[in-house]
Amino acid sequence: MILAVMGVLRAYRFSILLIASIVAGAAVGYHAPAFAGAIKPLGDLFLNLIFMVIVPLVFLSISSSIAASRTATVSRISWVMLAVFLATSVVAALSSLLFFLIVQPAPGSELALPPAAMLQTPATLVQLVKTISVPSFVEMLSHRAMLPLMLFAAAVGLATRQLGEQGEPLAKVLQSGAEVAIRLVDYVMLIAPVGLFAYFAATVAETGAQLASSYMQLFTAYYLFGSAYFVFAFSAYAWLAGGLGGVRRFWSHMLTPSLTALGTCSSMATMPANLEAAPQMGISREVSSLVIPVGAVIHKDGSVIGGVAKALFAISLFRIELTPSVLVLTVAVAILAGVVIGAIPTGGMIGEMVILSVFGFGQEALPLLAVISVIIDPLATLLNATGDNAAAMLVNRVVAGGAAPTGQTGHGVAVG
């Protein structure tokens, strides 16, 4: 038991440090508002460093990933896998949106932001054009233009890959640049505890107890919905894949992967446990060897649900009316965060910036959204990792009729 607790503490040590910094900052802001105001520039410094490094990170990560891919054809399993990933992400986004609108429609509305930050959402077509494009190349090199930057990076990566040998030199430069950008982010994150301490001290000094109340409400709502999604949604997917027998196989062999996800706080670290459990669930190795590794990178139901929570928090924070177009945009941004941005290192932070960029919100909300990632991380990781095996069962059902592969015992234990 002690070793298990120590393992969990090691896995979450940085998150625990950040939470401790935020709590300490909040206490300082409440009891010493003058001091909190004096150290606010330290929080601004942390934000500025994040904004400086995020643009090269996004461009180099996306372009190098696409340029390095040498897959010429996409198999039927791949197409089915992508369709299942998208379908489950849509279910996660829509169901969580409905739940949050019912139980907590305006989680950040109690916080007071400067009047200049209160924005009005433009018409849908105008917002779409502004979201995916900018007037000049220079304007694209900004954290305020995340989607245009991502689209441009994807285009550069695709062009590099299609050039073959001629593009190899640039592909190597992009890959090396991506590694350097990731290391730069590591350097910046070293001062995250100090930066968040200063930022939240100043924020609490300005907002009072409303901040803690808003986070507690959001925390409760996310964990209530996430727990229900874990049990009912994954059971439903397993039932669709193999009936009641599929449900029994799924839950009989998900304990180890689930505990691994909670203990390591990493979908990638859970992948070996998922691969080991997959044959015992009746998933062919041809399917599991593709779906689970890819799913660990781009299929994240927990992150999609978190994206909905963050978007609604930001929308209420900036007093934006929940029109149908805003709700559609919320779902789209949440799916983007879970399906696409999950493949990028420090993707959670990029997801929060995409939310701000797409809706045109002020950058002062970034730390407020970043804390949500820390709060929901354990359950989000559990949902992300568990969803990969559920998706693999659905893919197996489509491509192989859902039958258990040969070489399994009656109890679903792989042999040979």
Side-chain angles (χ1 to χ4, degrees):
M1 172 64 85
I2 295 178
L3 291 177
V5 172
M6 292 299 295
V8 171
L9 291 177
R10 281 194 298 270
Y12 290 94
R13 59 184 180 275
F14 191 68
S15 295
I16 293 173
L17 177 60
L18 292 182
I19 292 174
S21 300
I22 291 167
V23 172
V28 168
Y30 184 78
H31 294 287
F35 177 73
I39 64 173
K40 186 177 184 297
L42 295 177
D44 295 336
L45 172 64
F46 172 65
L47 288 184
N48 291 342
L49 292 175
I50 288 292
F51 293 141
M52 287 168 57
V53 76
I54 204 71
V55 170
L57 172 67
V58 170
F59 172 76
L60 293 168
S61 296
I62 294 178
S63 58
S64 64
S65 177
I66 295 177
S69 174
R70 289 288 176 260
T71 303
T73 59
V74 180
S75 67
R76 180 167 180 257
I77 293 178
S78 298
W79 284 115
V80 173
M81 172 188 68
L82 293 176
V84 168
F85 285 173
L86 180 59
T88 56
S89 297
V90 170
V91 170
L94 291 177
S95 57
S96 61
L97 177 64
L98 178 62
F99 178 84
F100 291 141
L101 289 178
I102 292 174
V103 303
Q104 191 185 17
S109 60
E110 296 180 355
L111 301 180
L113 288 180
M118 306 306 166
L119 308 173
Q120 295 298 323
T121 303
T124 303
L125 184 58
V126 174
Q127 180 69 11
L128 176 62
V129 172
K130 289 184 176 180
T131 298
I132 64 175
S133 66
V134 288
S136 67
F137 180 80
V138 174
E139 292 186 52
M140 183 186 65
L141 301 178
S142 167
H143 64 273
R144 300 181 185 276
M146 294 302 296
L147 280 186
L149 178 66
M150 294 169 68
L151 293 174
F152 179 74
V156 170
L158 182 61
T160 303
R161 185 181 69 179
Q162 289 183 337
L163 284 174
E165 292 184 2
Q166 290 179 295
E168 281 293 335
L170 180 57
K172 293 180 180 179
V173 171
L174 293 173
Q175 182 60 44
S176 178
E179 296 297 328
V180 172
I182 293 171
R183 182 55 56 90
L184 287 174
V185 172
D186 292 338
Y187 292 158
V188 172
M189 292 308 293
L190 290 175
I191 68 168
V194 175
L196 290 177
F197 170 85
Y199 181 88
F200 275 86
T203 301
V204 170
E206 296 171 359
T207 64
Q210 291 89 350
L211 183 65
S213 174
S214 296
Y215 281 136
M216 181 56 66
Q217 293 174 23
L218 189 144
F219 172 87
T220 303
Y222 184 90
Y223 274 78
L224 282 174
F225 179 82
S227 299
Y229 189 90
F230 178 76
V231 174
F232 296 108
F234 293 146
S235 295
Y237 296 151
W239 179 80
L240 289 174
L244 292 179
V247 176
R248 285 194 295 269
R249 289 196 304 272
F250 179 77
W251 289 116
S252 295
H253 301 288
M254 270 311 301
L255 178 60
T256 297
S258 297
L259 293 177
T260 302
L262 288 173
T264 62
C265 194
S266 169
S267 296
M268 294 300 294
T270 308
M271 184 172 61
N274 274 342
L275 287 170
E276 184 178 359
Q280 302 171 40
M281 297 177 182
I283 305 169
S284 71
R285 295 197 183 275
E286 182 184 18
V287 170
S288 64
S289 63
L290 175 64
V291 175
I292 292 176
V294 174
V297 178
I298 68 172
H299 178 236
K300 300 178 181 292
D301 287 352
S303 297
V304 170
I305 298 169
V308 172
K310 294 173 189 176
L312 289 178
F313 187 88
I315 288 168
S316 61
L317 192 67
F318 289 96
R319 317 296 196 270
I320 300 298
E321 183 182 357
L322 287 173
T323 63
S325 61
V326 170
L327 294 178
V328 170
L329 200 56
T330 298
V331 171
V333 169
I335 293 175
L336 179 65
V339 177
V340 178
I341 298 173
I344 305 173
T346 66
M349 178 175 59
I350 297 172
E352 289 136 17
M353 295 186 67
V354 168
I355 291 173
L356 299 180
S357 175
V358 167
F359 287 101
F361 295 149
Q363 66 185 37
E364 63 270 25
L366 176 60
L368 298 176
L369 298 187
V371 172
I372 297 175
S373 295
V374 178
I375 293 174
I376 69 175
D377 191 45
L379 183 55
T381 302
L382 176 62
L383 295 175
N384 291 341
T386 305
D388 294 338
N389 276 20
M393 289 186 70
L394 289 170
V395 173
N396 194 79
R397 172 63 185 268
V398 175
V399 301
T406 59
Q408 308 233 31
T409 70
H411 297 285
V413 178
V415 297

